[in-house]
Amino acid sequence: MMNRLSLFYDISGRVTKTPKYKDFFSVGGIIIPTIEEDKARQVLSIGLPKWKVATTDSLSIIKESIKDFHVDCTVVTFNKSSPEYDKFCTEGHDQHQKLASFAKGKVGFAKPGTVMRYLAFGRCSSASVGTYLRVKGRPTILDPNGYSILYLKVVCDSDIQGEENQRAFIECWKRWSSNNKLRNSLQIKPYIESVDFKTEQEEPLILIPDYIAGSVQFMSSSKYSHENLSAKVIKDFVTSLIDSKALFIDNFDFNEEFPDLTSAFSGAQGARAH
């Protein structure tokens, strides 16, 4: 298996609680061998429309690119209609208010919507990397201690905005790389080469997670319609990817608790005071 992989992620739907988008949001993730990245980017750098105004032609180009460049796709759908989701948002709002009071300034990284995005990208990346390794096996290049070396480049759409929020997200990846189950369970040592935030215009490869997340989101919710694509065309696109084992879908019934940020922050403040 290749030991250099590029990961791209995008969110479809509204993460926050709004009446129109109450039921689901989805995260699309792809893994492509880094060696294939430039060739795939060149094919997609032709001004393709985003998912919301996709055409049958652009859908076909995305599908062929997934096949030609050995792209492994994952979509995680998040069910927002559970009581746990409401509780997460309520507790997150309360904690954000307290943290803002403690810090006497902006703490956007603690907003429930931002924490939800961290969690959503994290779950999709875990699912995509885990599925990829189960299918492909361990990387073949080993370090002196016998661990497989795995280099990862991560690019997310600009759903996480603001320098402070992006720094916190990058820190999450760094902590994961040094403390994860891959080392003990699979003898794989991951290294994060970079974490970037880009739009589809800046990085055409984000169009693939945009399309797969949008397609699965469309099929998961009764509230969506598409300007150019019929329900059958979208369903056939998703089904063909599943049948070819290019797409894995994880339907997640939300059951996460908002992390206790206030006690950690106040504890750190107290330690600095002494």
Side-chain angles (χ1 to χ4, degrees):
M1 190 200 87
M2 298 282 184
N3 77 313
R4 293 185 180 272
L5 303 175
S6 298
L7 286 56
F8 297 85
Y9 297 99
D10 192 20
I11 293 177
S12 178
R14 298 291 179 87
V15 171
T16 52
K17 200 76 159 177
T18 58
K20 185 178 179 182
Y21 298 96
K22 184 177 180 181
D23 48 2
F24 290 93
F25 74 90
S26 302
V27 184
I30 67 166
I31 296 179
I32 180 172
T34 302
I35 196 171
E36 300 275 17
E37 188 181 321
D38 287 341
K39 290 183 287 185
R41 185 178 293 113
Q42 186 174 2
V43 169
L44 297 172
S45 299
I46 56 174
L48 291 178
K50 293 182 66 173
W51 154 255
K52 63 182 179 181
V53 288
T55 64
T56 53
D57 287 342
S58 67
L59 198 68
S60 177
I61 291 171
I62 293 292
K63 181 179 175 181
E64 288 303 310
S65 296
I66 291 171
K67 175 186 173 184
D68 292 344
F69 299 108
H70 313 289
V71 179
D72 287 79
C73 306
T74 301
V75 175
V76 180
T77 63
F78 291 79
N79 186 345
K80 299 192 294 181
S81 60
S82 66
E84 289 84 357
Y85 187 93
D86 287 329
K87 183 180 178 184
F88 185 100
C89 293
T90 301
E91 290 186 355
H93 174 76
D94 292 344
Q95 285 204 50
H96 174 253
Q97 295 294 100
K98 290 178 183 177
L99 278 174
S101 176
F102 288 151
K104 308 297 183 185
K106 293 182 179 179
V107 285
F109 65 89
K111 287 183 177 180
T114 304
V115 175
M116 184 74 73
R117 288 179 178 87
Y118 294 165
L119 186 154
F121 281 129
R123 185 169 184 89
C124 188
S125 62
S126 295
S128 59
V129 172
T131 301
Y132 187 92
L133 292 174
R134 278 198 303 273
V135 174
K136 311 290 185 182
R138 292 173 60 192
T140 53
I141 298 177
L142 307 180
D143 71 5
N145 297 316
Y147 285 95
S148 295
I149 302 173
L150 180 61
Y151 295 100
L152 302 176
K153 289 174 58 179
V154 181
V155 181
C156 294
D157 191 21
S158 51
D159 295 289
I160 296 176
Q161 299 181 345
E163 186 177 340
E164 180 187 56
N165 299 342
Q166 292 179 352
R167 276 203 309 266
F169 183 72
I170 292 170
E171 183 60 28
C172 291
W173 275 99
K174 288 180 178 178
R175 289 184 181 182
W176 172 84
S177 69
S178 60
N179 182 22
N180 58 75
K181 296 179 180 178
L182 296 181
R183 293 185 186 227
N184 293 331
S185 61
L186 296 175
Q187 286 71 57
I188 296 172
K189 191 177 289 186
Y191 296 89
I192 304 300
E193 289 198 315
S194 60
V195 180
D196 292 311
F197 306 87
K198 296 184 179 180
T199 65
E200 288 89 346
Q201 290 75 25
E202 295 168 325
E203 177 47 84
L205 281 164
I206 292 178
L207 284 166
I208 302 180
D210 175 48
Y211 271 60
I212 60 173
S215 297
V216 173
Q217 176 77 0
F218 178 93
M219 293 175 60
S220 300
S221 175
S222 60
K223 298 184 185 204
Y224 291 97
S225 60
H226 196 279
E227 185 175 329
N228 301 318
L229 302 175
S230 68
K232 182 180 184 306
V233 166
I234 295 169
K235 182 179 179 181
D236 288 348
F237 170 71
V238 172
T239 301
S240 68
L241 293 179
I242 293 172
D243 289 346
S244 65
K245 301 190 183 330
L247 173 61
F248 168 74
I249 299 176
D250 176 17
N251 298 305
F252 180 55
D253 289 327
F254 195 87
N255 60 2
E256 298 284 344
E257 293 185 1
F258 196 89
D260 185 1
L261 301 176
T262 51
S263 62
F265 185 86
S266 59
Q269 291 286 87
R272 281 196 292 269
H274 291 290

